[in-house]
Amino acid sequence: MTTEPYASGRRVFWIVDNGASHRNWAAAKRLNDAHPNAHMVHLPVHASWLNQVVRHEVA
């Protein structure tokens, strides 16, 4: 977030799955407090593309 184009971006979207470390509103608030232009977007619980990638790699 300190390098371009993120530092000067009006809005930066962080797309995350529903892992325990970023699952709740507190995580989104921490991100927004540290970087006001950042917005955390949570994927649906059962439709995470990150989980699909992990499943595909393991299979």
Side-chain angles (χ1 to χ4, degrees):
M1 292 297 297
T2 59
T3 60
E4 295 300 331
Y6 311 108
S8 65
R10 191 171 58 133
R11 292 187 298 173
V12 177
F13 295 96
W14 285 43
I15 301 171
V16 297
D17 67 355
N18 284 280
S21 63
H22 48 263
R23 172 173 34 214
N24 55 35
W25 290 106
K29 182 173 177 0
R30 279 193 308 270
L31 177 65
N32 192 256
D33 288 347
H35 307 287
N37 63 333
H39 302 277
M40 189 177 291
V41 178
H42 290 90
L43 295 173
V45 175
H46 299 290
S48 172
W49 64 270
L50 294 174
N51 289 340
Q52 298 300 320
V53 168
V54 170
R55 279 192 207 120
H56 180 70
E57 292 292 326
V58 172

